[in-house]
Amino acid sequence: MDINGVSAVVTGGASGLGAATARKLASQGAKVAILDFDLERAQSVAQEIDGYAVKVDVGDAASVEAAIAGVVAAIGAPRVIINCAGIGTAARMVGREGKLSVDLFERTIRVNLVGTYNVMSYATRAMLDLPVMEGGERGVIVNTASAAYQDGQLGQSAYSASKGGIASMCLPLARELAQSAVRVMAIAPGLFETPMMETLPQEVTEAIVRNIPHPARLGFAEEFALLASQIIANPYLNGEVIRLDGATRLPPR
């Protein structure tokens, strides 16, 4: 798909992977809507790229429905949906003195997995009103999983489960939306230089960096954005999860 001139929705676009992706798509001529819980930072990025910003709680269906309605009114129905919104959490299932993490598990699933599904649902419904473009495509969805969906670390059961759900629904949704000429892909990044990385203990970060074969460093948000744009451009990429991690495998701790 040629991104020039089309409308795109990027969740979590106020910072990190989402902000880099919003900038990348805008540089290619897209009209970008940034959906984020942090409206002030979203507006800052939107002003930079001549985009549109709206506050949203992705885990709340009513909030998402209203946000997508605003996007359609402001820049038109999206042909591109990039889901980067999410939270990084860490807790043992049974911690000290028997403390449980059920509440954290439910919140993580709500934001990361249900939030992704909410945005896809309302944004895709708007997308399906658009005609098929020359070349046979109507739209592209790119979701953000994580390398942790395959090799999550100790304490990452909630986060890994949420990202595993995103990875697992990639193929069935690609099959479902094929009849509507919409592709569905997912990117599973390793450890990147983003605000979420700051939630990890320093010793964990250092251990992971030592475990990255090549290039032996953290990923750059711009590299995630580059892959997202390449997925949009390549019409034969569909129903797949791509790891973007420098060939690393996360250690147990």
Side-chain angles (χ1 to χ4, degrees):
M1 176 185 292
D2 183 0
I3 192 68
N4 185 42
V6 308
S7 296
V9 165
V10 179
T11 71
S15 62
L17 304 180
T21 302
R23 293 185 180 103
K24 180 67 174 179
L25 299 185
S27 73
Q28 295 177 312
K31 297 175 289 184
V32 182
I34 297 172
L35 277 60
D36 203 287
F37 193 73
D38 189 336
L39 181 59
E40 184 176 350
R41 295 180 70 176
Q43 289 174 328
S44 178
V45 177
Q47 184 175 16
E48 175 190 336
I49 64 174
D50 193 25
Y52 172 77
V54 59
K55 181 173 181 176
V56 66
D57 175 359
V58 295
D60 181 79
S63 177
V64 172
E65 182 177 20
I68 295 300
V71 169
V72 173
I75 65 172
R79 288 196 184 272
V80 173
I81 304 165
I82 312 287
N83 278 302
C84 294
I87 57 175
T89 55
R92 293 174 182 263
M93 183 174 67
V94 181
R96 295 180 182 276
E97 299 178 352
K99 182 180 179 181
L100 303 182
S101 58
V102 174
D103 289 348
L104 179 142
F105 188 92
E106 291 180 343
R107 177 170 177 262
T108 304
I109 295 297
R110 170 63 56 182
V111 174
N112 293 358
L113 180 55
V114 177
T116 294
Y117 195 83
N118 282 340
V119 174
M120 280 195 299
S121 298
Y122 289 101
T124 299
R125 184 171 66 179
M127 181 193 293
L128 295 182
D129 289 334
L130 296 171
V132 173
M133 302 173 69
E134 182 179 355
E137 289 196 89
R138 178 176 275 114
V140 183
I141 300 169
V142 182
N143 295 325
T144 304
S146 168
Y149 95 92
Q150 290 183 315
D151 37 75
Q153 297 179 292
L154 187 152
Q156 285 190 330
S157 57
Y159 183 73
S160 296
S162 70
K163 295 302 185 177
I166 290 172
S168 294
M169 68 183 175
C170 182
L171 180 59
L173 284 175
R175 289 171 166 168
E176 175 183 336
L177 295 175
Q179 62 184 352
S180 301
V182 176
R183 294 186 286 122
V184 181
M185 290 285 294
I187 301 173
L191 194 62
F192 275 63
E193 289 187 345
T194 67
M196 188 177 292
M197 184 200 69
E198 298 173 0
T199 66
L200 294 177
Q202 182 63 30
E203 61 271 18
V204 172
T205 301
E206 292 174 354
I208 293 175
V209 171
R210 287 195 300 269
N211 194 48
I212 300 174
H214 179 74
R217 57 166 173 79
L218 300 177
F220 300 140
E222 292 75 16
E223 292 167 329
F224 177 95
L226 175 61
L227 179 55
S229 69
Q230 291 168 333
I231 289 172
I232 295 167
N234 191 327
Y236 209 58
L237 283 173
N238 195 16
E240 186 58 87
V241 181
I242 302 175
R243 281 185 69 128
L244 184 66
D245 58 15
T248 192
R249 295 297 180 267
L250 302 180
R253 294 174 180 268

